[in-house]
Amino acid sequence: MQHLFTETRFMHCPGCGSDALEALTLQLGAEPPSGPFQPTGRPLKWLRATHGVALRGNQFQMCRACGMVFRQDDPSTLNDFLARYAKD
């Protein structure tokens, strides 16, 4: 069955380069998702439950070769968040 994927259309995985991609919908609570994406593995200056990068929707892609889940969003939003809240 072919999945319709209207938001993000990668042809290859940004992690491993495979073309074995599947569209998926992640149910992240409310519709549209209201929970913020909070980067892990980086020391943050302070973080409350309301801090994070808002996701624009719940449509993602997953690589069948390496398992990476991803979508295309504006990278400046994430960079701005990291510049403001991440420790150097």
Side-chain angles (χ1 to χ4, degrees):
M1 178 176 160
Q2 183 70 24
H3 296 280
L4 295 178
F5 203 79
T6 58
E7 290 188 30
T8 304
R9 294 180 186 262
F10 282 87
M11 299 305 293
H12 295 90
C13 173
C16 72
S18 172
D19 64 355
L21 304 179
E22 293 289 334
L24 71 144
T25 300
L26 293 179
Q27 299 303 323
L28 303 172
E31 279 292 327
S34 59
F37 167 75
Q38 297 174 344
T40 59
R42 296 187 69 129
L44 298 176
K45 295 174 185 172
W46 65 88
L47 184 66
R48 295 191 307 259
T50 56
H51 281 104
V53 178
L55 298 175
R56 294 182 302 147
N58 63 351
Q59 298 297 308
F60 293 80
Q61 282 179 284
M62 182 173 183
C63 178
R64 292 193 318 259
C66 72
M68 183 175 186
V69 176
F70 53 92
R71 67 174 287 122
Q72 182 161 347
D73 272 305
D74 182 5
S76 67
T77 303
L78 177 59
N79 290 330
D80 291 345
F81 174 84
L82 292 174
R84 186 170 181 184
Y85 297 109
K87 292 180 181 178
D88 292 330

